Amino acid sequence: MKVLVIGGGAREHALCRSLSLDPDVSALYCAPGNAGIADVAELRDVDPLDGDAVARLATELDAALVVVGPEAPLVAGVGDAVRAVGIPVFGPSGEAAQLEGSKAFAKDVMAAAGVPTARSYLCTTPEEVDEALDAFGAPYVVKDDGLAAGKGVVVTEDLAAARDHALACDRVVIEEYLDGPEVSLFAITDGVTVLPLQPAQDFKRALDGDEGPNTGGMGAYSPLPWADPKLVDEVMASVLQPTVDELRRRGTPFSGLLYAGLALTSRGVRVIEFNARFGDPETQVVLARLRTPLAGVLLNAANGTLDTQAELRWSEDAAVTVVIASHNYPDTPRTGDPIEGLAEVAAEDGPDAYVLHAGTRHEGDAVVSAGGRVLSVTATGSDLARAREKAYKAVARIRLDGSQHRTDIAAKAAQHG
């Protein structure tokens, strides 16, 4: 089948890499893509937020499946525009994508479905903000109601900083702080059947030891040797299936990738947030371990036939991703710097370690940085310690002036075996 992937980050590179390895995929396109994706897919130029343009491109290419990677096109209804011309889409409708597009909508769905989450207030005035901050106390958790590319959340002990962030948002959700480790669990769904993937953990803070500002994610690993083996079954029963059932009951069925960000608190599992698409950088490690060819699974979800899907097969290996970010990220990043060492990684470290491009572009023969998160270096190994070793060996080969990366991705988990 011919597949078109929409987006241009490391998540889309991971998706394209997996799809390019699938024998059922006869042609693979990505729009707009990036310098690394160009090695595995044919790039096309399109505005990812223009549903009509994406639908025209999919029709032109005779695509059998369109996979929408980022959240903004999904919330903008790009999937609806493509479905309207009769092409299957992996990704929810604009209405169902509000599960990520609006924190308040997500809280409403969770309340109706009985899904465990933090207590919260939706605030629209300074008075409401002050009341909510006072009610919960520190640490303060303040979330922009709308999309903010992973950077709309502030968790702080500083009341003034929490208040400033809240007042800078039109609508803001203020909620109780959830203790305990965080886990990301993805599930593929057609709106009825829910198929969980393997859990992962990502690292949101910019600096080692979980210091520094929140980012879009600086690394990830899978599996989680410290987690309860029954975790996936528990989250399926208490979170994923009830949420999918509630959205269907409302007449806004959710098909695509449902991502639950979870806190394993002292009082049990709680949902921190939902996303309506594959998460970045967790996708990089989850897909590195998936052995079932990807295209058929995504097509079954798009077509409503996920109940016919055979059980997913997984590698026993562990996977680790380390993000290399540009100078000054997560503030305004410096771009246009040349990236060297990519060929060395391909020659010396493959196939166990490879580089997925996030913010890159070609400038003549050179590959240069074009965003905040520039590369996701991903490696697999017999356990987390071995996967970490391979990932950081590959990271050391890459030269990007002023770049930064965390040195402690999966370090604690690797000690569990």
Side-chain angles (χ1 to χ4, degrees), residues 151-381:
K151 300 189 204 67
V153 179
V154 164
V155 181
T156 179
E157 299 277 347
D158 183 337
L159 176 59
R163 192 171 189 275
D164 287 349
H165 182 65
L167 297 179
C169 306
D170 283 342
R171 284 156 49 97
V172 66
V173 172
I174 295 174
E175 62 183 41
E176 67 176 327
Y177 176 75
L178 297 174
D179 63 344
E182 293 184 15
V183 172
S184 301
L185 184 62
F186 300 166
I188 290 171
T189 177
D190 58 5
V192 178
T193 302
V194 182
L195 197 62
L197 304 187
Q198 290 286 314
Q201 187 173 56
D202 81 331
F203 293 74
K204 281 277 183 264
R205 299 283 185 172
L207 307 175
D208 283 7
D210 293 328
E211 299 288 329
N214 255 351
T215 70
M218 294 299 288
Y221 69 93
S222 178
L224 312 181
W226 49 268
D228 185 329
K230 298 191 289 292
L231 176 66
V232 173
D233 291 343
E234 184 190 334
V235 175
M236 268 291 290
S238 67
V239 175
L240 297 169
Q241 192 71 57
T243 300
V244 168
D245 292 347
E246 171 61 20
L247 284 163
R248 188 175 68 251
R249 190 190 66 74
R250 290 173 177 227
T252 54
F254 186 105
S255 81
L257 195 290
L258 178 57
Y259 163 139
L262 308 164
L264 308 188
T265 77
S266 49
R267 292 165 301 148
V269 173
R270 298 285 185 274
V271 175
I272 301 168
E273 64 175 355
F274 283 125
N275 290 336
R277 38 76 197 181
F278 278 103
D280 182 341
E282 301 98 319
T283 301
Q284 289 85 304
V285 291
V286 172
L287 292 185
R289 300 184 57 225
L290 181 65
R291 288 287 162 266
T292 303
L294 185 61
V297 185
L298 303 187
L299 187 63
N300 275 333
N303 283 337
T305 51
L306 206 54
D307 59 336
T308 65
Q309 175 66 44
E311 198 175 324
L312 298 180
R313 291 180 292 111
W314 296 93
S315 164
E316 291 294 310
D317 282 356
V320 171
T321 288
V322 179
V323 170
I324 297 178
S326 55
H327 177 72
N328 207 36
Y329 178 78
D331 291 326
T332 308
R334 193 172 82 201
T335 59
D337 288 311
I339 301 164
E340 295 172 340
L342 296 171
E344 288 169 44
V345 174
E348 303 290 334
D349 301 307
D352 293 348
Y354 48 88
V355 180
L356 298 168
H357 292 232
T360 66
R361 60 183 165 80
H362 280 295
E363 208 167 78
D365 290 339
V367 175
V368 302
S369 61
R373 291 186 294 174
V374 181
L375 303 168
S376 279
V377 179
T378 301
T380 54

Side-chain angles (χ1 to χ4, degrees), residues 65-115:
L65 174 67
V66 173
V67 180
V68 183
E71 60 273 26
L74 290 168
V75 172
V78 166
D80 302 285
V82 178
R83 270 186 281 263
V85 297
I87 296 173
V89 177
F90 182 79
S93 66
E95 215 174 338
Q98 284 302 312
L99 200 61
E100 176 169 7
S102 166
K103 303 283 188 295
F105 176 75
K107 288 287 187 187
D108 189 56
V109 170
M110 284 189 267
V115 169

